[in-house]
Amino acid sequence: MRTNTGYAMDLRIGNGYDVHQLSDGLPLILGGVRIPHTQGCVAHSDGDVLIHALCDALLGALALGDIGQHFPDTSDDFKGIDSRILLDKVCGMVSQKGYRIVNVDCTVLAQKPKLAPYIVPMREELARVMSLPVGNVSVKATTTERLGFVGRCEGIAVYATALLEKDC
Ligand code: MG
């Protein structure tokens, strides 16, 4: 694609979606940030559902499958793993294919807890791991007005979108 600046750019977009069940007494980690709450995500890894959706968006942009193919939850290698390590590995795949991340946008669906105080820390931590300016990393949060599994506090869902670019 030729941009209005005259440079030829190869652009790729990807989306990701993930859901984790909530259970009492587990740590809640979103976007690499530990969030005080009575419940946390049930998972083979640290349960960072935000990072998992983001990894799937990046992998989707590269048409490289999904996080489960690269980091299977049947492998002891990934048991309890800090999901920031997975995101770092996926960023390595982006670089290896010659792409740079332009921006990412994530929407967390959670009834509880209130995530507003943690939005900036999550953006800063994700930006740090991806070596991006924080202005290129968006995290938004919404409830589902008490509807569905999210509204009943049975789980947290995350949608993520990522845009990649490469000089060509
Ligand atoms: Mg997951």
Side-chain angles (χ1 to χ4, degrees):
M1 167 185 177
R2 193 158 290 279
T3 68
N4 59 7
T5 54
Y7 292 103
M9 298 298 295
D10 177 4
L11 297 173
R12 306 290 295 258
I13 194 165
N15 75 85
Y17 175 70
D18 196 22
V19 172
H20 277 258
Q21 186 184 348
L22 286 166
S23 185
D24 291 342
L26 294 176
L28 179 62
I29 300 164
L30 290 173
V33 175
R34 175 78 185 263
I35 294 173
H37 190 42
T38 55
Q39 296 183 304
C41 288
V42 178
H44 183 71
S45 67
D46 66 358
D48 194 328
V49 58
L50 196 168
I51 286 185
H52 297 176
L54 182 52
C55 286
D56 267 356
L58 294 165
L59 290 169
L62 297 168
L64 279 180
D66 60 52
I67 191 172
Q69 289 171 242
H70 293 274
F71 313 111
D73 64 8
T74 48
S75 167
D76 279 349
D77 291 350
F78 307 116
K79 191 164 171 49
I81 196 169
D82 183 332
S83 293
R84 290 174 293 188
I85 295 169
L86 307 182
L87 179 58
D88 182 60
K89 287 178 188 287
V90 171
C91 287
M93 296 179 205
V94 172
S95 308
Q96 207 200 345
K97 290 278 183 184
Y99 286 90
R100 297 178 296 274
I101 302 169
V102 178
N103 72 304
V104 301
D105 182 24
C106 308
T107 302
V108 182
L109 282 67
Q111 191 63 44
K112 286 180 184 172
K114 282 272 174 254
L115 295 176
Y118 307 101
I119 294 291
V120 169
M122 286 192 276
R123 291 176 59 208
E124 288 175 345
E125 182 59 8
L126 293 171
R128 187 189 67 77
V129 175
M130 294 188 288
S131 302
L132 284 176
V134 73
N136 297 37
V137 178
S138 166
V139 175
K140 312 189 299 297
T142 183
T143 70
T144 58
E145 300 288 342
R146 303 188 184 282
L147 296 170
F149 71 87
V150 169
R152 293 189 296 271
C153 300
E154 293 169 3
I156 290 180
V158 179
Y159 294 97
T161 304
L163 182 68
L164 310 182
E165 66 177 1
K166 176 163 82 169
D167 301 322
C168 57

